[in-house]
Amino acid sequence: MKNEIIKKDKGGEIVFFDAKAFAEKYEPVNVLKELRHIKTIDQAIQDDKNGISVYSKKIGEDGMLAIIELHLVALSESVNVGQPLTKYQIKEIAIEILSIFYYLSMTEICFVLRKAKRGEFGQLYGVLNIVAILDWFNQYSEERAQRFIQKSTKDIQNDFSQRSEERKEWADHEKRKNAPND
């Protein structure tokens, strides 16, 4: 099939998304319902491990831009600001998100915009603009990177702890082996 995306779900079975199914899944109202359980960066990452660059190759850059634009329109309509985003700003922001944050999944993009709507990146004072929106994504990316560093450091610490225990056991073994028999 042309323009299909293969995704392994949590159960290990393969799910096929064509461009239409992908657009339906990530339609803003469907996202509100289907992704409401996602409350952390880890959950957002686990929900979909493919970056938007993968989907962009499969369903086309224009398709990805259109979906991101839909979410930006929903953002602009959802928050009560004096100056909502113009059509040009929406297109420009979508292009920037696709080109700068290509490694984020569509779930993560939706998560960032949902956090913004909730005021988790600070109050929206009368205006939405490209600088503020890209700053939200930069903040999220920084949090995401810190999360990966924490997990990596934890793994290293666990590995070191295990090796320390193994060394201690080996030293005890050597002591017993070399101890004189009474």
Side-chain angles (χ1 to χ4, degrees), residues 41 45 103 138-152:
I41 291 173
I45 293 168
Y103 52 89
N138 283 324
Q139 286 179 48
Y140 175 80
S141 291
E142 183 62 33
E143 283 181 59
R144 184 181 192 265
Q146 289 302 319
R147 192 68 198 114
F148 280 116
I149 290 168
Q150 287 171 352
K151 286 177 106 175
S152 172

Side-chain angles (χ1 to χ4, degrees), residues 155-171:
D155 291 344
I156 290 169
Q157 289 170 343
N158 285 344
D159 184 48
F160 181 74
S161 297
Q162 290 170 354
R163 288 184 181 174
S164 295
E165 289 298 317
E166 289 171 2
R167 282 192 213 103
K168 198 182 292 183
E169 286 178 27
W170 183 257

Side-chain angles (χ1 to χ4, degrees), residues 38-50:
I38 294 177
K39 300 191 183 345
T40 67
I41 291 173
D42 289 335
Q43 289 173 330
I45 293 168
Q46 288 301 318
D47 185 70
D48 188 358
K49 295 186 187 300
N50 290 324

